[in-house]
């Protein structure tokens, strides 16, 4: 009788098109539909440990109330929903029993990474399959730094010997922090703000992540727009930076194709003590690629404060870049999850093509030897270990908020432990692989010029937009290789930019958290993209490169280390490592390995703290080529770094002042303990200590909110707190008194009410 009545109710609602049903009610019905055929939210690996469960136990029976009239849109049925057959009425406010039956669904996971529908989030959505998440995360972690920063750090810090501290830092800091952030976001199914229900006083960490992602998103897309410009400029038979016969060239310009022995002929005859003295006493040429970069692309001004004019060609490419990002993200992860099949994989195709072309060049072996020849004495230098730790930390994107955001769209029982290892190792292997691509070509150019590889090797924008493009001019069919190289840079940049934008959009949507903003998410994405474009316009001016490097050096350096360290401490020591390990076990079916627990508690926070000390000790005023930034520009840089970190104490103080408590110590405890709605987002996953005794409010974001009749307080619109509790108890008692379904034995306050007879 119960099942027939439920089916009749659902059939009537389907025929009416679910018209006029509130969002909360609609989600409740949909959840009920799934729960009548679904399972409790216990991972299959934990089912055996729990043993058999009595079907009549409270854990297996959940009670739902229809406390509002259901409007079906059918005349005469606005106050109650009439069943398909007589005698199967479900009156307004009557309890509907639903039963979680079996646990067999989790055994049917498909081989391509799909998780069962029972693990699907109706409100936020999920990745179409796990491959989309892995590719998105790889595209996020593998960025421009893998190409233009790691190879330079490797040869500067001992070649092959640098790989030892690099992989040591990967094992003890990179992978553990990566796993922590993935599990953090996946468990709560929230972005970088919502996850801090775990300890609301530290929500400022989430705001700090948003500020950092904003800074990076602004200047990162400017780099992508420059790559777009070089890509369009390569659509020609002769690359514009090949010769010195262009309007922007100076008399000092000398092309390596026009006079390949210019460097050899100008070497001093006397043997000098070091290379720097030789360079100071030698007439140095200016390459066509360097003049193209400075005088054509950037039209560089002489000072960071001299903005000059906006470069229209860069502004146009910036607009193109933001339009591409928006259209790829306009449907959120549903659209970006499909785009990454190309943007995350094709760069490896290009890298492989460039690798085989590079290693066949004359002199390529010289560059590769310079790149990998180990200098074991370098391992004893603290700076080498500091560079290794910093590179691991920044290249994986830790503390940007993107890892938490991307993982929040995972299914609850996804194996994020496996994903963290796969993605982290892929990122590091890509960095090493890119080094072969870069140094094989640079070695060929050094051989052509008769110089040491160190004289042609650069890092940062100088490598991507000056040194490597010049080396490409030596190759047959140079425009083809240039197109491939800059297309690879574009795809790498877009992969990171997708996650940066989605981080901000998800944080905003999750924070507001109502049905309206979920439906208007595309406009939130558009607003963030427009704001990013407008804020990036100053970086397309003649002084734009100065500000871009200023943001890169300050906005995403010290602040990331501080944010990550506070995140580790708050989770491991405020929330508790034991609690977090139990959460991970509930989610994955097994606890975090002991090695990761030790790293989370001791090793990783110590390494992060040492990175901060290293950055402070090794600090040097920022420069660009021969230009040194003025003190006021450095002050602005420190303010940018401070702007993200300051969110943490400001919000902590704000939350502390709003927290109730008789004493300061009590208020401090209340402000750091998890909020009532911390835990898995879907109701069926809230088991154990997360099993709800009082149903959350609609603002809590749970898609299906059950009612424990003995403890529930149903929020009623338009009533104060006391009347809401009283009305909910009255509706509960009345529905039980007129129902054929027996009341739970623990229900109080309903004694003496007659039940409807047969």
């Amino acid at each position: 009788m119960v099942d027939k009545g439920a089916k009749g109710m659902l059939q009537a609602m389907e025929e009416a098109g679910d018209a006029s049903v509130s969002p909360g009610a609609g989600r409740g019905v949909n959840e009920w539909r799934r729960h009548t055929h679904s399972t409790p939210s216990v991972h299959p690996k934990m089912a055996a440990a729990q043993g058999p469960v009595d079907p009549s136990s409270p854990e297996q029976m959940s009670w739902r109330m229809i406390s509002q009239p259901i409007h079906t849109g059918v005349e005469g049925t606005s106050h109650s929903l009439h069943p398909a057959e007589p005698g199967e009425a479900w009156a307004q406010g009557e309890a509907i029993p639903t039963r979680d039956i079996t646990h067999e669904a989790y055994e049917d996971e498909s081989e391509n990474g799909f998780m069962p529908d029972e693990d699907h989030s109706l409100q936020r959505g999920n990745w179409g399959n796990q491959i989309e998440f892995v590719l998105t995360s790889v595209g996020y972690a593998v960025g421009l730094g893998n190409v233009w920063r790691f190879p330079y750090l490797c040869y500067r810090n001992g070649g092959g010997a640098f790989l030892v501290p690099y992989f040591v830092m990967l094992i003890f800091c990179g992978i553990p922090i990566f796993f922590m952030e993935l599990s953090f976001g996946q468990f709560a199914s929230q972005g970088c703000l919502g996850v801090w229900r775990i300890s609301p006083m530290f929500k400022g960490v989430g705001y700090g992540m948003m500020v950092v992602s904003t800074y990076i998103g602004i200047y990162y897309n400017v780099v992508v727009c420059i790559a777009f410009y070089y890509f369009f400029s390569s659509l020609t038979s002769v690359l514009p930076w090949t010769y010195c016969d262009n309007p922007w060239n100076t008399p000092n310009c000398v092309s390596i194709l026009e006079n390949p022995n210019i460097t050899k002929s100008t070497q001093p005859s006397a043997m000098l003590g070091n290379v720097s003295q030789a360079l100071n006493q030698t007439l140095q040429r200016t390459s066509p690629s360097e003049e193209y970069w400075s005088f054509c692309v950037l039209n560089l001004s002489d000072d960071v404060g001299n903005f000059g004019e906006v470069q229209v060609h860069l502004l146009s490419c910036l607009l193109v870049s933001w339009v591409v990002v928006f259209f790829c993200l306009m449907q959120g992860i549903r659209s970006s999850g499909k785009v990454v099949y190309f943007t995350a994989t094709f760069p490896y195709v290009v890298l492989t093509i460039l690798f085989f072309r590079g290693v066949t060049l004359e002199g390529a072996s010289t560059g590769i030897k310079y790149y990998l020849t180990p200098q074991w004495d370098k391992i004893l230098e603290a700076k080498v270990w500091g560079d290794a730790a910093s590179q691991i930390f920044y290249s994986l994107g830790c503390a940007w908020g993107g890892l938490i955001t991307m993982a929040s769209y995972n299914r609850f029982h996804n194996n994020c432990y496996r994903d963290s290892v796969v993605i982290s190792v892929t990122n590091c292997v890509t960095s090493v692989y890119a080094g072969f691509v870069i140094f094989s070509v640079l070695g060929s150019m050094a051989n052509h010029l008769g110089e040491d590889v160190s004289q042609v090797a650069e890092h940062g924008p100088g490598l991507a937009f000056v040194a490597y493009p010049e080396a490409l001019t030596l190759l047959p069919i140079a425009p083809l290789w240039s197109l491939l190289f800059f297309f690879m840079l574009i795809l790498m940049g877009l992969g990171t930019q997708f996650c940066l934008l989605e981080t901000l959009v998800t944080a905003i949507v999750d924070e507001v958290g109502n049905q309206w903003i979920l439906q208007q998410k595309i406009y939130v994405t558009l607003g963030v993209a427009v704001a990013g474009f407008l804020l990036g316009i100053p970086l397309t001016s003649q002084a734009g490169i100065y500000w871009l490097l200023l943001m890169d050096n300050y906005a995403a350096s010290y602040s990331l280390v501080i944010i990550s360290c506070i995140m580790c401490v708050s989770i491991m020591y405020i929330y508790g490592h034991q609690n977090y390990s139990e959460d991970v076990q509930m989610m994955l079916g097994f606890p975090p390995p002991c090695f990761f627990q030790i790293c989370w508690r001791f090793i990783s926070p110590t390494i992060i703290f040492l990175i901060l000390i290293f950055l402070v000790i090794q600090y040097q005023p920022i420069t660009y080529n021969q230009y040194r930034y003025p003190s006021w520009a450095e002050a602005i840089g420190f303010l940018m770094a401070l702007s993200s970190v300051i969110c943490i104490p400001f919000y902590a103080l704000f939350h502390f002042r709003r927290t109730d408590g008789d004493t300061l110590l009590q208020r401090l405890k209340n402000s750091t303990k998890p909020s009532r709605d911390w835990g898995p987002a879907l109701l069926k996953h809230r088991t154990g200590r997360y099993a709800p005794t009082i149903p959350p409010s609609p603002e809590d974001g749970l898609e299906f909110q059950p009612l424990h009749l003995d403890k529930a307080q149903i929020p009623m619109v338009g009533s104060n707190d006391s009347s809401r509790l009283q009305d909910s108890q009255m509706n509960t008692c009345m529905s039980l008194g007129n129902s054929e379904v027996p009341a739970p034995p623990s229900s109080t306050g309903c004694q003496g009410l007659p039940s409807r007879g047969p």
Side-chain angles (χ1 to χ4, degrees):
M1 185 68 70
V2 169
D3 291 337
K4 286 185 178 180
K7 292 178 180 178
M9 181 183 72
L10 291 173
Q11 181 179 1
M13 292 191 67
E14 289 173 352
E15 293 174 354
D18 288 342
S20 304
V21 180
S22 65
R27 291 195 302 271
V29 169
N30 291 332
E31 283 288 345
W32 181 86
R33 183 202 307 271
R34 292 208 310 272
H35 272 250
T36 55
H37 302 88
S38 67
T39 68
S41 85
V42 183
H43 196 278
K45 294 182 180 180
M46 299 175 64
Q50 294 186 355
V53 180
D54 184 0
S56 62
S57 64
E59 289 78 9
Q60 286 293 89
M61 180 74 76
S62 59
W63 296 83
R64 288 183 58 251
M65 297 291 298
I66 305 178
S67 57
Q68 299 287 346
I70 300 179
H71 300 271
T72 63
V74 181
E75 185 178 356
T77 62
S78 61
H79 296 289
S80 64
L81 189 60
H82 294 284
E85 298 179 12
E88 296 178 355
W90 293 91
Q92 175 186 346
E94 191 166 5
I96 302 176
T98 62
R99 192 179 293 270
D100 292 331
I101 303 174
T102 67
H103 199 72
E104 299 172 357
Y106 288 108
E107 299 176 1
D108 298 328
E109 297 180 11
S110 60
E111 296 179 357
N112 62 357
F114 282 92
M115 296 293 290
D117 289 339
E118 290 80 359
D119 209 21
H120 181 69
S121 173
L122 290 178
Q123 287 187 8
R124 302 177 82 252
N126 295 100
W127 298 106
N129 58 64
Q130 212 50 38
I131 296 177
E132 293 182 4
F133 166 69
V134 172
L135 290 179
T136 301
S137 299
V138 168
Y140 174 63
V142 178
L144 300 176
N146 297 72
V147 175
W148 72 27
R149 178 172 170 80
F150 173 82
Y152 170 80
L153 286 178
C154 190
Y155 93 80
R156 190 185 73 176
N157 289 301
F162 179 72
L163 298 179
V164 174
Y166 183 71
F167 281 100
V168 168
M169 292 300 174
L170 170 67
I171 294 172
F172 286 96
C173 184
I175 297 178
I177 298 300
F178 202 93
F179 179 32
M180 174 183 284
E181 292 201 29
L182 291 190
S183 59
F184 195 20
Q186 180 174 307
F187 182 79
S189 297
Q190 290 288 307
C192 61
L193 289 182
V195 292
W196 289 102
R197 296 168 181 173
I198 191 174
S199 185
M201 190 175 185
F202 291 94
K203 191 175 182 178
V205 174
Y207 284 109
M209 291 178 176
M210 286 188 65
V211 173
V212 169
S213 293
T214 300
Y215 285 137
I216 298 175
I218 291 171
Y219 76 78
Y220 210 87
N221 227 21
V222 175
V223 178
V224 175
C225 91
I226 296 175
F228 265 113
Y229 182 73
Y230 269 83
F231 177 81
F232 295 143
S233 300
S234 301
L235 297 172
T236 179
S237 58
V238 179
L239 295 175
W241 56 85
T242 303
Y243 299 106
C244 296
D245 55 355
N246 301 289
W248 57 80
N249 290 128
T250 67
N252 294 329
C253 177
V254 178
S255 171
I256 58 177
L257 292 179
E258 293 174 333
N259 193 348
N261 296 320
I262 183 66
T263 305
K264 291 181 179 180
S265 63
T266 57
Q267 291 293 335
S269 57
M271 296 299 294
L272 299 175
N274 53 59
V275 176
S276 61
Q277 290 178 340
L279 292 177
N280 290 333
Q281 299 184 22
T282 304
L283 177 61
Q284 296 297 306
R285 71 182 183 92
T286 303
S287 67
S289 62
E290 184 177 353
E291 293 197 350
Y292 180 77
W293 165 252
S294 299
F295 304 136
C296 178
V297 178
L298 301 179
N299 194 13
L300 192 64
S301 66
D302 58 353
D303 185 73
V304 65
N306 181 14
F307 283 89
E309 300 177 351
V310 172
Q311 305 302 296
V312 178
H313 55 278
L314 291 183
L315 183 63
S316 302
C317 291
L318 181 63
L319 178 61
V320 170
S321 181
W322 276 111
V323 168
V324 170
V325 171
F326 169 71
F327 277 105
C328 290
L329 286 177
M330 62 185 302
Q331 296 297 326
I333 62 170
R334 285 181 295 174
S335 54
S336 65
K338 304 301 181 292
V339 174
V340 294
Y341 280 103
F342 178 74
T343 60
T345 57
F346 193 73
Y348 289 94
V349 177
V350 178
L351 275 176
T352 302
I353 294 174
L354 294 177
F355 170 77
F356 283 107
R357 184 65 187 97
V359 296
T360 58
L361 296 174
E362 182 181 359
S365 59
T366 303
I368 294 176
K369 288 179 181 178
Y370 194 87
Y371 169 53
L372 288 181
T373 301
Q375 303 175 37
W376 297 110
D377 57 308
K378 291 277 189 179
I379 293 183
L380 301 178
E381 298 180 11
K383 185 177 184 300
V384 174
W385 289 85
D387 283 344
S390 300
Q391 177 63 17
I392 283 291
F393 189 81
Y394 296 130
S395 67
L396 291 177
C398 299
W400 291 15
L403 298 178
I404 295 175
T405 301
M406 296 302 105
S408 71
Y409 293 103
N410 277 336
R411 312 298 173 101
F412 184 74
H413 293 298
N414 169 63
N415 191 346
C416 58
Y417 168 68
R418 172 203 59 203
D419 295 340
S420 63
V421 175
V422 171
I423 297 168
S424 300
V425 173
T426 300
N427 172 73
C428 295
V429 171
T430 302
S431 297
V432 177
Y433 187 40
F436 286 95
V437 175
I438 298 299
F439 274 90
S440 60
V441 177
L442 293 183
S444 175
M445 185 173 72
N447 179 74
H448 186 83
L449 294 173
E451 291 183 342
D452 190 79
V453 177
S454 62
Q455 301 304 308
V456 298
E458 297 188 42
H459 71 287
L463 173 62
F465 300 118
V466 177
Y468 201 83
E470 182 181 15
L472 292 177
T473 61
L474 300 174
L475 305 181
I477 323 178
L480 172 63
W481 308 113
S482 181
L483 283 170
L484 288 174
F485 176 72
F486 288 110
F487 189 54
M488 177 189 70
L489 292 185
I490 291 171
L491 295 181
M492 284 184 167
L494 289 177
T496 302
Q497 192 66 22
F498 291 160
C499 295
L500 291 171
L501 184 62
E502 186 63 36
T503 297
L504 299 176
V505 173
T506 298
I508 296 172
V509 172
D510 285 350
E511 186 67 9
V512 177
N514 56 36
Q515 191 69 18
W516 177 84
I517 199 167
L518 287 170
Q519 297 172 350
Q520 307 299 322
K521 186 177 179 180
I522 185 174
Y523 298 107
V524 178
T525 305
L526 177 61
V528 175
V530 171
F533 169 73
L534 295 177
L535 292 173
I537 291 178
L539 301 184
T540 62
S541 67
Q542 292 178 256
I545 191 65
Y546 296 124
W547 291 97
L548 188 150
L549 294 177
L550 188 70
M551 297 176 71
D552 184 46
N553 278 271
Y554 290 96
S557 57
Y558 303 95
S559 54
L560 286 178
V561 178
I562 296 173
I563 289 173
S564 184
C565 189
I566 295 177
M567 180 184 68
C568 289
V569 172
S570 60
I571 295 176
M572 289 294 104
Y573 295 98
I574 304 300
Y575 180 63
H577 74 279
Q578 187 63 39
N579 289 333
Y580 194 73
S581 297
E582 292 176 0
D583 291 344
V584 173
Q585 182 171 4
M586 176 192 300
M587 180 172 60
L588 302 183
F590 57 89
C594 292
F595 172 77
F596 283 87
Q597 296 187 43
I598 295 173
C599 288
W600 287 345
R601 297 177 62 189
F602 306 110
I603 301 178
S604 297
T606 301
I607 292 177
I608 294 173
F609 182 71
L610 292 177
I611 294 175
L612 179 61
I613 296 177
F614 168 77
L615 291 175
V616 173
I617 294 176
Q618 295 292 326
Y619 172 77
Q620 293 180 352
I622 183 175
T623 61
Y624 176 66
N625 293 336
Q626 304 301 319
Y627 175 77
R628 179 169 179 173
Y629 283 67
S631 56
W632 63 266
E634 292 186 39
I636 292 178
F638 280 112
L639 287 177
M640 284 192 290
L642 185 64
S643 63
S644 56
V645 177
I646 202 67
C647 296
I648 301 174
F650 275 12
Y651 188 86
L653 181 61
F654 167 75
H655 184 75
F656 178 78
R657 291 175 60 89
R658 298 181 58 190
T659 304
D660 297 329
D662 297 332
T663 63
L664 290 177
L665 181 60
Q666 186 62 42
R667 293 174 64 184
L668 182 62
K669 290 181 178 179
N670 292 339
S671 60
T672 56
K673 69 180 182 181
S675 62
R676 179 170 58 90
D677 51 348
W678 161 250
L682 295 183
L683 174 71
K684 58 189 174 56
H685 295 146
R686 299 178 74 91
T687 59
R689 68 175 183 270
Y690 295 106
T693 56
I694 298 178
S697 63
E699 290 78 8
D700 293 338
L702 296 180
E703 295 186 18
F704 173 58
Q705 301 172 359
L707 180 60
H708 291 247
L709 298 180
D710 55 333
K711 301 179 181 179
Q713 300 180 17
I714 302 177
M716 304 291 288
V717 179
S719 302
N720 56 35
D721 292 339
S722 59
S723 62
R724 281 186 291 182
L725 175 58
Q726 182 179 4
D727 291 344
S728 65
Q729 292 175 341
M730 180 61 68
N731 287 337
T732 298
C733 297
M734 292 301 294
S735 63
L736 291 176
N738 293 283
S739 174
E740 296 179 2
V741 182
S746 58
S747 297
T748 59
C750 300
Q751 289 84 357
L753 287 177
S755 60
R756 186 167 53 190

